[in-house]
Amino acid sequence: MSESWEAIEEAAAFLRDKGAAPRALVILGTGLGGLSGRFDETESIPYGEVPHFPESTAPGHAGQLVLARRGDQQVLLMEGRFHCYEGYSMEEVTRPIRVARALGAEALILTSAVGGMDPRYRLGEICVVEDHINMMGTSPLVGPNDDRFGPRFPDMSEPYDPALRDVAERLAREAGFRLPRAVHVSVLGPQLETRAEYRMLRQLGADTVGMSTVPEAIVAVHAGMRVCALAVVTDLGLPDALEAIDVEKIIAVANAAAPQLETLVLGLLEHV
């Protein structure tokens, strides 16, 4: 791990001067950036203004941090994330998690747009991640370990907090919609999967596939944070009925799922 403690502290100090003291970090994925409107008080900060933060280049990502408040709770929102396929290192992709932890955040709520490989999933359905498979070819923890960030060998037997998952499932039941559990696999991208790759990933035990979530979850666990990941099925990776991917359609499906996703995220934040 080559991440610099000094870089994290510099970014945290910049945000601390703006009053940042979040209890949780929420990462909003493709087409899912409208959550900030549900908070009482917000301040937006473009990523380019935060020391050592990359720029977000992915479609559907606004590329800004939002200091948000709901009641007496402050939350840090990322409207858009960073990906390795944009050319960023694992350290750059996961840097915001370490910065949020340095500011006092105790939990990470991840959202993302994913391909659904379980034939029982419906387009636009939200899944709660219960486990993952890392197929990105590396880890954000590779290299010398700085014990100030976390232990050399973090335990990954339960990377996604069972109590937060139970809360999400209860919230979905009360709101009247399904929230199936998923094993998520993260791949490098940016190309989408071939029919053969979908078959392979499904045989490995994955239900959803995407190009994020796993690196952020690993770093959060390394830092001692509780993690909950919510994945919106924006396309179906069924190899025998595969359709060409339309990015605009993916963003539209993600936008349509936003009300249910907001119900889950806001409810989860009450339990952090």
Side-chain angles (χ1 to χ4, degrees):
M1 183 176 61
S2 59
E3 183 63 279
S4 163
W5 178 265
E6 291 71 25
I8 299 301
E9 284 297 303
E10 187 177 344
F14 172 84
L15 294 171
R16 202 175 287 119
D17 287 344
K18 292 184 174 292
R23 292 292 303 280
L25 171 64
V26 182
I27 300 181
L28 302 171
T30 301
L32 303 172
L35 184 67
S36 59
R38 299 290 300 274
F39 286 82
D40 303 322
E41 179 184 337
T42 62
E43 179 183 354
S44 300
I45 306 168
Y47 291 151
E49 294 183 8
V50 183
H52 308 291
F53 265 48
E55 297 279 356
S56 181
T57 67
H61 292 241
Q64 61 185 6
L65 281 176
V66 179
L67 306 182
R69 186 171 295 279
R70 191 175 175 87
D72 61 353
Q73 183 187 56
Q74 191 191 89
V75 180
L76 189 61
L77 306 177
M78 286 182 66
E79 292 189 337
R81 54 159 46 91
F82 313 120
H83 306 82
C84 289
Y85 70 71
E86 296 173 83
Y88 296 128
S89 67
M90 279 282 188
E91 289 78 18
E92 291 172 310
V93 166
T94 57
R95 187 167 294 153
I97 290 88
R98 291 195 171 104
V99 171
R101 183 59 169 158
L103 291 168
E106 300 171 1
L108 171 65
I109 300 176
L110 293 158
T111 72
S112 61
V114 301
M117 297 182 290
D118 187 325
R120 295 170 294 183
Y121 290 167
R122 299 189 292 264
L123 204 62
E125 190 163 50
I126 303 172
C127 305
V128 60
V129 177
E130 63 175 341
D131 208 343
H132 72 227
I133 300 170
N134 182 6
M135 293 286 286
M136 301 186 77
T138 187
S139 163
L141 307 184
V142 168
N145 189 68
D146 187 333
D147 292 336
R148 291 173 292 184
F149 288 127
R152 170 74 282 188
F153 300 109
D155 177 69
M156 296 296 289
S157 60
E158 199 97 63
Y160 301 93
D161 188 89
L164 291 179
R165 185 171 62 239
D166 289 346
V167 169
E169 291 173 336
R170 176 179 59 79
L171 291 166
R173 286 195 302 271
E174 292 173 352
F177 61 88
R178 288 196 339 147
L179 185 71
R181 295 187 180 187
V183 174
H184 178 74
V185 59
S186 284
V187 296
L188 183 59
Q191 71 283 349
L192 279 297
E193 290 68 40
T194 67
R195 295 175 190 272
E197 287 169 338
Y198 279 126
R199 290 191 181 97
M200 175 194 71
L201 296 173
R202 185 70 176 139
Q203 288 174 358
L204 288 176
D207 304 304
T208 60
V209 58
M211 302 168 195
S212 65
T213 299
V214 169
E216 297 101 319
I218 290 172
V219 165
V221 171
H222 184 243
M225 299 171 74
R226 303 169 69 192
V227 183
C228 185
L230 303 168
V232 181
V233 178
T234 54
D235 59 281
L236 299 175
L238 306 176
D240 295 323
L242 199 59
E243 297 181 1
I245 296 297
D246 182 337
V247 174
E248 294 301 320
K249 181 180 178 181
I250 286 176
I251 294 174
V253 172
N255 286 334
Q260 291 182 343
L261 191 68
E262 290 173 2
T263 296
L264 297 174
V265 172
L266 295 175
L268 283 165
L269 288 173
E270 295 179 3
H271 290 80
V272 173

